[in-house]
Every structure is written in structure tokens, then in C-alpha cells.
Amino acid sequence: MSSSKVIHAFYNDDEVVLDAVKKVKAAHHHIEEVFCPFPVHGLDKAMGLAPTRIAIASFMFGVTGLAVAIWMTNYMMIQDWPQDIGGKPSFSWFKNMPAFVPIMFEMTVFFAAHLMVITFYMRSRIWPFKKAENPDPRTTDDHFLMEIPVHNNEEELMTLLKETGAVEINVVDSDSH
């Protein structure tokens, strides 16, 4: 069984790696992954990644929280145990709604925030006690790593990556990391 090889090109500046990604993509090479110590603005567009739908999920979680808050305040304060607090009538949720606005706001934020964290971890496949998939520890400190699969074009890729400003280029077995 033959193992596939990948090239790890290291960069030490975010602008350089962003330009390098654009040049590698312009040369029609596939970039498997770019590992960065911090988010690089525009890198997702340069790599051609699809836009995220996480904002839609957040909105839906917030709407769910708002619905739960409306149901909860109606059940607790109107149906289950109606009380006359400060002269406010407890016969209708709509008459008491201004008093429930803080509860509705907080439940909307609570649901959106907590469910977004869970969604992010599930979408990113980050589980408790999961082994890190980072191929080089320097990418958590001060280096950027571009991982490109090799398909009988090793010399061409090496030349291109040197032109883009890579400070270090290594060919490694993709099964080893």
C-alpha cells in the first residue's frame, strides 16, 4: 500500500501566507489545510471555502429561546400561579408582556450562546480528550503552515512555494501526522 505525501510550507507572516495561498490557488493546486496561530482575515475567501451557515443556526437558536421564554412566562405567571403583583392584572400574557421583556431577552441570549458553543464543537469535531490534529506545534505560536498534497509534482510545488516566501518546506508522509 503506497502512502501519499504532503508538503508542509511554513511562513512567519500572515500577509505573506495570504498572498501565498492566492498564488498557489491561482496555479491550480489544491490546498488541504492552512494552520494558523490566529485567524487571518480573508484566508477563507482566498482558499475558496464556502460561506458558513452558523449565523442562521444562531438566529434559530435565539428564536427557540424566545419561544421558550414566552411559553415559560405564560405558563408560570398566567396559567399556573396567577398573582396580582403591583396592581398588574394577571389574566392576559399580552397585558403583562412589558414585565416579561427582560426574561425574553435573557432566554434568547442564553439559548443562542449555549447552543452555538455546542454546535461549534460538533461542527469542528472537537470532542473532550480528542488528540490534536496539528502537524507542527509552531503553528500555535508564531508560524503558519500550508499543507498541500503531492501528486507527482513535488519539484513544481517546491519551486512555487519558495517563490511565495516560505521560510521552510518539508515533504512528509501524510500518514505520519
Side-chain angles (χ1 to χ4, degrees), residues 2 8 21-22 25 37 56-57 69 78 82 86 94 96 103 106 112 119-120 142 147 154 159-160 163 168 170:
S2 66
H8 287 171
V21 166
K22 291 175 184 176
K25 291 300 274 186
I56 296 168
I78 306 302
F94 291 104
N96 289 308
I103 297 166
E106 292 298 333
T119 301
F120 173 75
D142 62 351
E147 185 175 84
E154 187 175 327
T159 305
L160 176 63
E163 291 172 5
E168 180 182 332
N170 300 325

Side-chain angles (χ1 to χ4, degrees), residues 12-83:
N12 56 10
D13 185 60
D14 57 334
E15 293 296 325
V16 175
V17 77
L18 185 59
D19 291 338
V21 166
K22 291 175 184 176
K23 289 175 184 171
V24 170
K25 291 300 274 186
H28 304 292
H29 294 289
H30 173 70
I31 299 173
E32 190 67 33
E33 188 67 77
V34 177
F35 296 90
C36 303
F38 55 83
V40 177
H41 181 69
L43 186 60
D44 55 341
K45 288 183 180 152
M47 288 184 64
L49 299 177
T52 180
R53 295 183 305 265
I54 205 156
I56 296 168
S58 178
F59 177 76
M60 297 306 294
F61 296 150
V63 168
T64 303
L66 179 64
V68 168
I70 291 170
W71 172 82
M72 183 182 76
T73 54
N74 182 55
Y75 178 76
M76 289 180 182
M77 299 300 290
I78 306 302
Q79 294 176 2
D80 186 44
W81 195 314
Q83 298 179 40

Side-chain angles (χ1 to χ4, degrees), residues 38-175:
F38 55 83
V40 177
H41 181 69
L43 186 60
D44 55 341
K45 288 183 180 152
M47 288 184 64
L49 299 177
T52 180
R53 295 183 305 265
I54 205 156
I56 296 168
S58 178
F59 177 76
M60 297 306 294
F61 296 150
V63 168
T64 303
L66 179 64
V68 168
I70 291 170
W71 172 82
M72 183 182 76
T73 54
N74 182 55
Y75 178 76
M76 289 180 182
M77 299 300 290
I78 306 302
Q79 294 176 2
D80 186 44
W81 195 314
Q83 298 179 40
D84 185 4
I85 301 172
K88 294 179 186 170
S90 58
F91 307 116
S92 167
W93 185 86
F94 291 104
K95 290 181 182 177
N96 289 308
M97 193 270 297
F100 301 145
V101 168
I103 297 166
M104 292 186 296
F105 173 77
E106 292 298 333
M107 289 292 283
T108 300
V109 172
F110 179 85
F111 270 66
H114 286 79
L115 292 175
M116 279 303 299
V117 168
I118 293 168
T119 301
F120 173 75
Y121 285 147
M122 289 175 63
R123 180 68 181 96
S124 301
R125 293 183 176 99
I126 301 175
W127 314 112
F129 310 109
K130 182 182 180 196
K131 185 178 181 290
E133 296 176 2
N134 193 353
D136 193 293
R138 292 178 289 176
T139 60
T140 63
D141 187 23
D142 62 351
H143 279 74
F144 302 83
L145 184 145
M146 186 187 319
E147 185 175 84
I148 305 168
V150 176
H151 301 292
N152 297 326
N153 58 353
E154 187 175 327
E155 292 302 320
E156 176 191 349
L157 279 172
M158 297 282 262
T159 305
L160 176 63
L161 293 170
K162 286 176 187 172
E163 291 172 5
T164 62
V167 294
E168 180 182 332
I169 302 171
N170 300 325
V171 179
V172 296
D173 185 23
S174 65
D175 298 333

